[in-house]
Amino acid sequence: MLSTQQFLISSRPRLGIFPENHAFWRRSLRKLGMAPPILSLALPSETGRVLSIQSHTVQGYVGNKSAVFPLQLLGYDVDPINSVQFSNHTGYPTFKGQVLNGQQLWELIEGLEANDLLYYTHLLTGYIGSVSFLNTVLKVVEKLRSVNPKVTYVCDPVMGDEGKLYVPPELVLVYREKVVPVASMLTPNQFEAEQLTGLRIVSEADGREACKILHAAGPPKVVITSINIDGNLLLIGSHQKEKGQSSEQFKILIPKIAAYFTGTGDLVTALLLGWSNKYPDNLDKAAELAVSTLQALLQRTVNDYLSTGFDPQTSSLEIRLIQSQDDIRNPQVKFKAEKYN
């Protein structure tokens, strides 16, 4: 039988997708001594290791509650940091809970660093409510990339919707000037894309132009997750594979469902991360899988509410995430991307 130390050493060649991490793992061995290995580092998944900084609710599925489980189903190790911990989402008559500040976030990062646990392949961020916290997130990006320069940063710049901000206005400037340049993929909605580019989006051409403006500022992948044009709902995606080259752009028409849901933006961004990593050169395919998953889940949610006699148009609905795990793992692609010429 192998001793613990022998097992640790024999595990090192199995680092798989982290070949450049051998020195990092050796440092961990020295610190850990005879402690058990961190298996997500010693035996990493084929997909990756995600640090997800988002909100959390005890009940319901928004923020990390909406993102972590789907990513795990797709094969990712996910470490969540909860930017807030609330009893429920803020659409209820009342809520209670705590808000993490920037200093507390950094203390968590320092704790991970002190134990050589900061090796991630992806960073995912969602709702952030203050400038100080967002500035600390930028420090986190820098820190993670000092450990692994290839970290993919997927940013959902949650700022508002339907013409209204629900974050402090000064946050918009930080996103535009500091966050967009370091992001690998952005997933704004229509209103957020307008805030980031200064461009009013009233046509598909405007949506495509907004993507190009964002590419010029930094991220090679941009997905405007929902655009309402002339009563039609669509997603517009854009992938600039080489800086300075033309981007490959596409759209997916999305059927409208007569209901309002919470947590869908957090879910679709997580799905886009999951599938775009598996199909790095085919953002359109990743978007097809993400949209098809989401639509199957939303239809199940509506049907389940109807089965209880509840009118789904009368209130915001909690998504049926757990009940839709088969659709997350193996989505049937029913919504196809149409490439722009």
Side-chain angles (χ1 to χ4, degrees):
M1 180 179 294
L2 290 176
S3 69
T4 303
Q5 189 67 24
Q6 288 172 324
F7 174 76
L8 287 169
I9 294 171
S10 68
S11 296
R12 280 163 44 194
R14 302 181 66 183
L15 282 169
I17 62 169
F18 301 152
E20 71 276 25
N21 195 29
H22 283 215
F24 175 85
W25 180 238
R26 285 196 295 270
R27 290 198 305 273
S28 298
L29 292 177
R30 288 197 297 270
K31 283 197 171 189
L32 289 171
M34 297 298 289
I38 307 301
L39 290 180
S40 62
L41 290 173
L43 304 173
S45 70
E46 295 180 358
T47 46
R49 190 164 183 251
V50 182
L51 180 65
S52 180
I53 305 175
Q54 301 195 59
S55 58
H56 170 87
T57 57
V58 176
Q59 194 279 330
Y61 295 96
V62 298
N64 271 330
K65 283 284 290 288
S66 189
V68 172
F69 179 65
L71 283 170
Q72 290 171 331
L73 286 178
L74 293 178
Y76 295 81
D77 285 310
V78 187
D79 292 347
I81 293 179
N82 299 326
S83 56
V84 305
Q85 177 163 273
F86 290 160
S87 54
N88 44 267
H89 68 71
T90 57
Y92 283 87
T94 186
F95 64 94
K96 300 287 185 179
Q98 302 81 37
V99 178
L100 197 72
N101 62 38
Q103 180 180 348
Q104 291 167 329
L105 169 61
W106 193 246
E107 287 173 357
L108 293 173
I109 297 300
E110 287 179 327
L112 291 169
E113 183 180 30
N115 293 290
D116 281 335
L117 298 174
L118 267 187
Y119 194 95
Y120 291 95
T121 59
H122 296 77
L123 172 66
L124 172 62
T125 62
Y127 174 77
I128 293 168
S130 71
V131 170
S132 63
F133 196 91
L134 186 54
N135 280 325
T136 305
V137 167
L138 287 163
K139 288 176 60 181
V140 173
V141 176
E142 184 178 4
K143 176 65 72 174
L144 294 184
R145 285 181 172 161
S146 73
V147 178
N148 175 17
K150 297 179 181 180
V151 164
T152 296
Y153 175 26
V154 178
C155 173
D156 182 3
V158 181
M159 294 182 288
D161 201 3
E162 297 180 348
K164 295 181 181 179
L165 280 175
Y166 39 69
V167 297
E170 56 267 26
L171 222 63
V172 177
L173 191 62
V174 180
Y175 269 115
R176 186 186 299 162
E177 295 185 352
K178 296 182 179 181
V179 178
V180 170
V182 300
S184 309
M185 180 163 69
L186 279 177
T187 61
N189 60 29
Q190 181 175 358
F191 174 70
E192 291 157 351
E194 291 175 339
Q195 294 296 307
L196 292 174
T197 61
L199 177 67
R200 182 91 171 117
I201 299 174
V202 296
S203 66
E204 290 184 38
D206 292 336
R208 297 176 65 189
E209 182 61 27
C211 291
K212 293 176 183 178
I213 293 172
L214 292 170
H215 285 318
K221 293 180 180 179
V222 178
V223 179
I224 305 178
T225 55
S226 60
I227 300 180
N228 200 327
I229 297 173
D230 298 328
N232 296 314
L233 188 65
L234 64 149
L235 171 152
I236 290 182
S238 186
H239 187 187
Q240 187 180 50
K241 295 184 177 180
E242 296 290 340
K243 204 69 177 173
Q245 291 187 359
S246 297
S247 54
E248 297 177 2
Q249 297 187 320
F250 61 90
K251 67 178 178 181
I252 300 177
L253 294 175
I254 303 172
K256 287 187 175 181
I257 297 177
Y260 177 76
F261 307 89
T262 57
T264 54
D266 308 316
L267 172 59
V268 77
T269 295
L271 293 170
L272 285 167
L273 184 161
W275 288 115
S276 66
N277 185 55
K278 295 188 178 191
Y279 299 99
D281 295 322
N282 298 96
L283 185 59
D284 54 337
K285 182 176 180 64
E288 289 175 347
L289 290 158
V291 169
S292 295
T293 298
L294 180 65
Q295 291 300 306
L297 179 147
L298 296 183
Q299 195 58 61
R300 174 174 287 101
T301 299
V302 169
N303 292 342
D304 284 355
Y305 273 101
L306 287 171
S307 71
T308 68
F310 182 81
D311 183 354
Q313 298 187 45
T314 60
S315 179
S316 63
L317 308 180
E318 299 278 12
I319 57 175
R320 298 287 276 172
L321 190 68
I322 306 303
Q323 295 75 15
S324 302
Q325 56 187 285
D326 289 341
D327 294 309
I328 296 169
R329 281 198 195 95
N330 300 297
Q332 296 182 22
V333 177
K334 296 183 178 180
F335 301 93
K336 301 291 290 183
E338 179 182 341
K339 293 184 178 181
Y340 291 108
N341 296 324

